[in-house]
Amino acid sequence: MAVIDYTKPSFVKRLFIYDVQSATAARYLVAHGKGSGFIYARDFSNEVNSNKSSKGFFITGEMFVGDHGPSLPLHGLQEG
């Protein structure tokens, strides 16, 4: 399970990966969508091509190499 704390700035390790089977957790840096803000994510959307991050539950897309290295797109599953 993964949780992103968007109340924290993008230079803080705000992605938490929890391994339910081993009951361990790790923290990582994570970007937000270009349309969501600069250092803090302030604006959110599930609209395709908005370049904004979504709130709520996600599924991951196919890995790609982005401007900052290996990346996974996140697809929001909730309305709003």
Side-chain angles (χ1 to χ4, degrees):
M1 178 172 57
V3 175
I4 301 170
D5 184 353
Y6 283 128
T7 66
K8 299 191 182 319
S10 58
F11 57 81
V12 171
K13 292 181 178 181
R14 60 186 181 169
L15 169 64
F16 302 85
I17 304 290
Y18 298 99
D19 183 331
V20 179
Q21 289 182 328
S22 67
T24 59
R27 294 172 43 173
Y28 300 92
L29 292 172
V30 66
H32 51 263
K34 293 177 185 178
S36 286
F38 183 60
I39 293 175
Y40 287 91
R42 303 258 190 239
D43 296 312
F44 301 89
S45 175
N46 277 347
E47 187 175 322
V48 175
N49 296 321
S50 70
N51 292 322
K52 295 181 180 182
S53 293
S54 300
K55 286 185 176 181
F57 293 98
F58 305 91
I59 58 171
T60 58
E62 293 294 318
M63 191 194 88
F64 67 97
V65 178
D67 293 340
H68 304 288
S71 302
L72 279 174
L74 299 176
H75 304 288
L77 298 175
Q78 292 182 262
E79 295 290 325

